Amino acid sequence: MTSDVSRIGTAEPIAQPVQHAGPVSYDQMDDHELLRLHVAGNPDTFGFLVRRHRDRMWAVAIRTLGEPEEAADALQEAFISAFRRADSFRGDAKVTTWLHRIVVNACLDRIRRRQVRATDPLPEDEDRAAELAGPAEEDPAEVRERRLDVLNALKQINEDQRSALVLVDMEGYSIEEAAAILDCAPGTVKSRCARGRAKLLPLLRHWQTTRGGSDDSGVPEKTAAEAVGTE
Amino acid sequence: MTDSGLPTSEHLEHLDTDTIADLIENLLPAPEAHRAREHVKACPDCQQTFDALVQLSEDLAEEGRNDIPMPADVAEHLDAVIVSESVLRSSTVGVHSLVQIREEPRRHLPKLLGAAAAVVVIAAIGVGVVFATKDDAPGGAAGINPTNVPTGVPTLTTKDVGPQAQRWLESSSNPLLHGSAAEIACARTFASSRPNPQLRLVQPAKVNGQRATVIGLQGESARDVQLFVVTGCNESGGVADPFYDTTVTLRNR
């Protein structure tokens, strides 16, 4: 949704879709418009918003939580919360950023509650694995396989490291943003990321060796000195 | 932590993966960082681990940009949850059962009190006692005052009317009366001309492209609701003119 244009200021009459003849095409409305109509009382536009972004949000939830049932529950909580809090959305942000943050928080809440309850290990759920990879007709086999590899590997590292890694490496939050979301020091986020990567590496090593990169060793040109920089 | 995991002679023993990962994140104290960096430069194995860790971050970022299709059952359930949340919201300013108010006072009372500042009518419909807020309360904010944009006007086709109305009705055990006071009054007049005059649903909608009202009347069995799609109720002084009807059987009652 990079083409999002903030149109919150160019207010058209709220009741426009109601009064116009012909069916309203919510598909053509941008996220801001849909959310604005929702706040104004339209009963349908929030559902459209959910359908538009659910695959993105599902990816975040399933990677963070590992368990489909947990992810589904977290998403439900998140979307209901977004539904009710939509009037607190600030129009200068992207709707996806806002939604994303609510989903992340709902997932982290579940993790915290789970940690308080007990450290019951995540059950292996082989039956749902294929389903988790998504419908076969939608993506090529290697995409689905890679997706499953990552999900399975993520499930094997501890939840703190996993949530830090998902936020920073996979979702592109800065260390500072992740620290604010996770309510811990930036150094803690860095450390969790580093240790999480170290644990993931052997689990995903075959990924890198089968990449068929441009050079024969498959390693990037970046050297230790370049990456670490000067002292 | 394995901060002390650095070997005494950095050129003889390999660094562990944790240490290399810490090095990349600049987490090692300066002297250790220096030694580790020197080692990595000189040791092809550790250099490879270093590179692989950097590559892993990039691979995770690339994978992170991909969506994952939500499983169909999860998506369906989520849709239903959003629909019922929507019905719940619109009925907050319309009709509410005492049970719902008792169960979720935090959520309903503020809005109810606001909307009910004008007139509160306590009406008994069937066996259920309901609170009905008079919906032409003056000065309500947009989204609260039902006469402005109360519950919205969903776009439907006659084919959708049955399944959609069924979902609305199944999400609430109370009559769902939406729309302006005039529209609901028109629906009541229509209902009173029928052999089964008990109103279960009034919902403004655009059906097959024209502004209409979906009216649900209690059917013969408790679980049956007879639906009529009528025109005319949205005009002042209008008379309901049905152009489609169907009966749905609710599953949860």
Side-chain angles (χ1 to χ4, degrees):
Chain A
M1 287 286 116
T2 47
S3 58
D4 254 352
V5 182
S6 172
R7 296 218 315 224
I8 217 91
T10 62
E12 291 148 50
I14 283 163
Q16 182 202 29
V18 172
Q19 289 162 353
H20 263 240
V24 183
S25 177
Y26 292 129
D27 281 334
Q28 286 159 12
M29 291 185 186
D30 66 24
D31 292 349
H32 280 99
E33 191 71 2
L34 289 175
L35 197 62
R36 197 168 60 79
L37 287 170
H38 164 70
V39 171
N42 186 302
D44 299 323
T45 54
F46 195 84
F48 259 81
L49 207 53
V50 170
R51 282 191 283 279
R52 187 178 285 175
H53 299 299
R54 65 186 173 198
D55 288 353
R56 178 93 280 267
M57 301 306 157
W58 175 251
V60 177
I62 191 68
R63 283 173 188 142
T64 311
L65 290 165
E67 257 319 277
E69 281 72 23
E70 291 266 309
D73 286 352
L75 273 193
Q76 183 175 321
E77 276 171 24
F79 279 125
I80 288 178
S81 164
F83 183 106
R84 295 180 189 162
R85 285 161 40 187
D87 54 353
S88 72
F89 170 72
R90 295 168 55 87
D92 50 355
K94 277 175 71 172
V95 173
T96 43
T97 308
W98 173 76
L99 264 182
H100 196 280
R101 184 69 182 261
I102 294 174
V103 169
V104 165
N105 282 327
C107 292
L108 294 175
D109 278 350
R110 292 193 86 77
I111 289 178
R112 288 183 194 119
R113 271 182 266 157
R114 193 158 68 190
Q115 285 174 341
V116 167
R117 274 206 312 272
T119 45
D120 33 335
L122 293 175
E124 279 301 320
D125 201 347
E126 292 298 329
D127 288 339
R128 293 207 68 153
E131 192 193 338
L132 266 189
E137 62 276 14
E138 221 159 293
D139 294 302
E142 63 266 24
V143 170
R144 304 175 70 235
E145 198 174 315
R146 192 183 161 96
R147 179 182 290 155
L148 267 187
D149 280 348
V150 176
L151 287 176
N152 285 332
L154 283 171
K155 275 174 80 164
Q156 293 176 55
I157 67 175
N158 85 44
E159 288 178 324
D160 287 337
Q161 294 172 348
R162 184 166 71 225
S163 28
L165 262 188
V166 169
L167 285 177
V168 175
D169 278 8
M170 302 197 78
E171 301 298 330
Y173 283 97
S174 71
I175 295 286
E176 287 69 28
E177 287 170 323
I181 293 171
L182 293 166
D183 195 23
C184 64
T188 308
V189 175
K190 282 186 176 191
S191 167
R192 287 176 185 172
C193 285
R195 296 312 168 87
R197 282 179 210 125
K199 283 225 187 67
L200 276 188
L201 189 62
L203 299 171
L204 290 173
R205 196 127 208 184
H206 62 283
W207 233 32
Q208 301 187 319
T209 52
T210 57
R211 278 173 74 81
S214 48
D215 53 356
D216 39 11
S217 67
V219 286
E221 296 83 49
K222 218 172 185 181
T223 65
E226 280 165 355
V228 177
T230 53
E231 272 180 78
Chain B
M1 289 289 284
T2 51
D3 285 347
S4 58
L6 281 176
T8 44
S9 168
E10 59 269 24
H11 293 288
L12 293 179
E13 269 183 76
H14 291 309
L15 301 176
D16 64 33
T17 311
D18 279 353
T19 305
I20 301 177
D22 283 355
L23 174 69
I24 293 173
E25 280 295 338
N26 278 325
L27 290 166
L28 297 179
E32 278 179 54
H34 178 75
R35 261 184 294 154
R37 201 172 297 117
E38 290 303 308
H39 175 90
V40 168
K41 266 192 228 168
C43 173
D45 282 359
C46 288
Q47 176 72 55
Q48 203 177 11
T49 304
F50 183 100
D51 292 339
L53 282 166
V54 172
Q55 183 67 48
L56 176 65
S57 278
E58 289 167 15
D59 288 345
L60 287 174
E62 190 188 320
E63 176 64 17
R65 282 190 283 275
N66 296 328
D67 293 353
I68 300 180
M70 180 181 275
D73 58 333
V74 177
E76 210 172 290
H77 182 70
L78 188 60
D79 268 350
V81 166
I82 298 298
V83 167
S84 67
E85 186 69 14
S86 216
V87 170
L88 192 63
R89 176 174 75 157
S90 49
S91 59
T92 302
V93 286
V95 178
H96 246 282
S97 80
L98 289 172
V99 176
Q100 278 174 323
I101 292 164
R102 246 197 321 267
E103 280 174 356
E104 297 175 276
R106 264 183 315 119
R107 208 161 89 215
H108 297 301
L109 272 182
K111 273 190 186 169
L112 272 180
L113 290 174
V119 188
V120 176
V121 183
I122 300 170
I125 297 182
V127 288
V129 178
V130 298
F131 262 166
T133 59
K134 204 167 185 318
D135 57 6
D136 53 357
I144 302 275
N145 183 346
T147 56
N148 285 350
V149 270
T151 58
V153 180
T155 301
L156 303 170
T157 63
T158 44
K159 193 163 52 73
D160 301 325
V161 165
Q164 189 63 50
Q166 180 165 356
R167 258 193 284 174
W168 293 330
L169 288 160
E170 282 173 353
S171 66
S172 168
S173 55
N174 298 297
L176 301 170
L177 308 182
H178 300 153
S180 69
E183 194 159 355
I184 293 172
C186 169
R188 281 195 202 287
T189 308
F190 170 75
S192 64
S193 71
R194 307 283 313 172
N196 48 336
Q198 188 184 330
L199 266 187
R200 292 289 306 276
L201 172 74
V202 177
Q203 175 64 53
K206 189 175 280 176
V207 180
N208 295 349
Q210 64 178 327
R211 179 65 167 80
T213 312
V214 181
I215 300 174
L217 301 179
Q218 184 63 60
E220 281 173 21
S221 125
R223 290 162 61 218
D224 287 346
V225 175
Q226 195 179 10
L227 298 167
F228 294 88
V229 182
V230 307
T231 53
C233 273
N234 60 311
E235 298 147 15
S236 70
V239 176
D241 181 15
F243 68 91
Y244 174 78
D245 70 291
T246 184
T247 298
V248 292
T249 303
L250 307 186
R251 287 170 295 204
N252 58 347
R253 288 167 59 80

